[in-house]
């Protein structure tokens, strides 16, 4: 029993020892017109407090983090988020109809089935690049959702 | 009192308790059921919202609400520079149309742009075809669009934003309107409040209820 506990601890140690930023389910919606902005979504979890201070990708001239605020009259406004706070262990989700990454000045149309790299710049953890699959224009999330 | 009569009384009393519980429970369930179907949406001034417009469809034809009379209308106001909520809502509407199946014949899905300067007929044609073959895109002059939005009581605004394409961002209400044949208001929905299949079922129910009357 002791041996088993020791083994589990040994297996867990390498993960516990270094700060981890996990990105899950990244995806972008295919763009219909190259001249229109596209949106990308993902879930981000950091095991320590950190801040996302920038997002870049070679397919877009500019990437903005956008929140959505809906007032009492049902009017939705996109609100640019300059720096996104990450609390330790609390997942932050970008999802349709909510917070999203707005990809502007696309160099080309994002076609369904392709992938592109997206780099998140974190204040403490540094840069993190993920591979983002492009789903159809009518997609609401990665398969299974 | 004789033991036999006591027993009968006891049975009657317990019977009443059981009956009362059953009917209360039933009433509660019925209320729950009624409040869920059709979906309750609180709207003020519904009677004032009506489908009345003079616009240009994505094939370049001048259309008014009369061109869609005899059919129900599922209407969403948005714009093609909107990266998130508009495609999300249009994809949702496409899901509703797919779920409606043959019944979709009696529903005209309309996407009206609130950004007519950038959303020309050609842009609308390419845009709507990406979501659903039945989806109709409507644009027009800024005055025509403002007049249509006014009839639907849809609010939209342009905000200066130097970072945004063309220097402005649009804000708008994200409701999907269900309008009756003839253009009167029936209900509003929001994307994500229920799965598209559930909304399709609700629309079918409303149409069926109307057909019976």
């Amino acid at each position: 029993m002791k041996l088993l506990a020791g083994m589990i601890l040994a297996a867990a140690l390498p993960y516990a020892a270094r700060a981890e930023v996990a990105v899950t389910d990244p995806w972008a919606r295919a763009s219909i017109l190259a001249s229109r902005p596209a949106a990308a979504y993902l879930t981000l979890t950091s095991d320590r407090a950190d801040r996302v201070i920038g997002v870049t990708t070679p397919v877009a001239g500019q990437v903005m983090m956008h929140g959505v605020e809906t007032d009492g009259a049902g009017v939705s406004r996109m609100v640019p988020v300059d720096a996104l706070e990450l609390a330790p262990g609390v997942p932050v989700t970008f999802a349709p109809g909510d917070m999203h990454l707005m990809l502007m000045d696309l160099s080309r149309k994002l076609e369904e089935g392709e992938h592109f790299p997206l780099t998140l710049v974190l204040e403490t953890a540094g840069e993190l690049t993920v591979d983002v699959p492009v789903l159809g224009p009518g997609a609401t999330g990665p398969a299974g959702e | 009192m004789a033991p036999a009569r006591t027993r009968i009384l006891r049975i009657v009393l317990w019977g009443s308790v059981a009956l009362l519980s059953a009917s209360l429970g039933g009433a509660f369930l019925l209320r729950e059921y009624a409040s869920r179907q059709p979906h309750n949406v609180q709207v003020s001034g519904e009677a004032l919202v009506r489908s009345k417009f003079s616009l240009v469809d994505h094939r370049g034809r001048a259309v008014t609400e009369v061109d869609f009379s005899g059919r129900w209308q599922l209407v969403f106001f948005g714009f093609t520079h909107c990266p998130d909520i508009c495609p999300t809502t249009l994809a949702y509407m496409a899901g509703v149309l797919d779920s409606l199946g043959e019944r979709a014949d009696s529903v005209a899905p309309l996407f009206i742009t609130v950004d007519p300067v950038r959303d020309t007929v050609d842009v609308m044609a390419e845009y709507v075809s990406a979501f659903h073959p039945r989806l109709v895109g409507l644009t027009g002059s800024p005055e025509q669009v403002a007049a249509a939005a006014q009839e639907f009581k849809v609010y939209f605004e342009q905000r200066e934003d130097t970072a945004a394409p063309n220097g402005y961002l649009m804000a708008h209400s994200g409701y999907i309107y269900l309008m009756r044949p003839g253009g009167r208001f029936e209900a509003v929905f929001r994307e994500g409040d229920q799965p598209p299949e559930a909304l399709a079922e609700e629309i079918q129910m409303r149409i069926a209820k109307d057909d019976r009357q």
Side-chain angles (χ1 to χ4, degrees), chain B residues 191-202:
Chain B
E191 178 278 323
D193 280 355
Q194 54 184 331
E197 300 79 27
L199 179 52
E201 205 170 302
E202 178 171 346

Side-chain angles (χ1 to χ4, degrees), chain A residues 25-32 38-41 94-98 100 110-114 132-145, chain B residues 82-95 98 127 130-132 191 196:
Chain A
D25 295 334
W27 67 283
R29 198 184 269 125
S31 48
I32 297 152
Y41 309 93
F94 290 82
D98 200 340
H100 54 271
L110 299 181
E111 303 277 2
E112 183 174 356
E114 67 164 323
V132 181
V134 179
L135 308 183
T140 52
E145 268 189 35
Chain B
C82 157
D84 175 56
I85 192 70
C86 299
T88 303
T89 304
L90 291 173
Y92 178 74
M93 278 173 67
D98 285 340
Y127 197 78
F131 290 97
H132 203 275
E191 178 278 323

Side-chain angles (χ1 to χ4, degrees), chain B residues 51-57 61-67 112 138-141 143-149 151-152:
Chain B
S51 174
K52 191 173 185 309
F53 54 81
S54 176
L55 296 164
V56 182
D57 76 5
R61 294 181 304 209
V63 291
T64 72
E65 74 284 355
V66 177
D67 291 284
I112 305 179
L138 297 175
T139 182
S141 68
E143 294 73 25
Q144 285 177 316
V145 166
E151 295 291 353
F152 278 93

Side-chain angles (χ1 to χ4, degrees), chain A residues 110-130:
Chain A
L110 299 181
E111 303 277 2
E112 183 174 356
E114 67 164 323
H115 293 241
F116 63 86
L118 182 83
T119 302
L120 301 165
V121 185
L122 291 107
E123 204 169 54
T124 311
E127 292 193 356
L128 179 71
T129 299
V130 290

Side-chain angles (χ1 to χ4, degrees), chain A residues 47-83:
Chain A
D47 65 0
R48 61 180 170 186
D50 207 334
R51 299 168 83 207
V52 183
I53 51 173
V55 186
T56 61
T57 173
V59 300
Q62 194 188 359
V63 182
M64 286 174 81
M65 291 182 278
H66 269 163
V68 175
E69 275 180 4
T70 303
D71 68 17
V75 177
S76 300
R77 291 179 182 81
M78 294 194 295
V79 188
V81 177
D82 294 327

Side-chain angles (χ1 to χ4, degrees), chain B residues 181-196:
Chain B
R184 279 198 303 119
F185 174 88
E186 171 74 12
V188 290
F189 309 101
R190 285 190 85 95
E191 178 278 323
D193 280 355
Q194 54 184 331

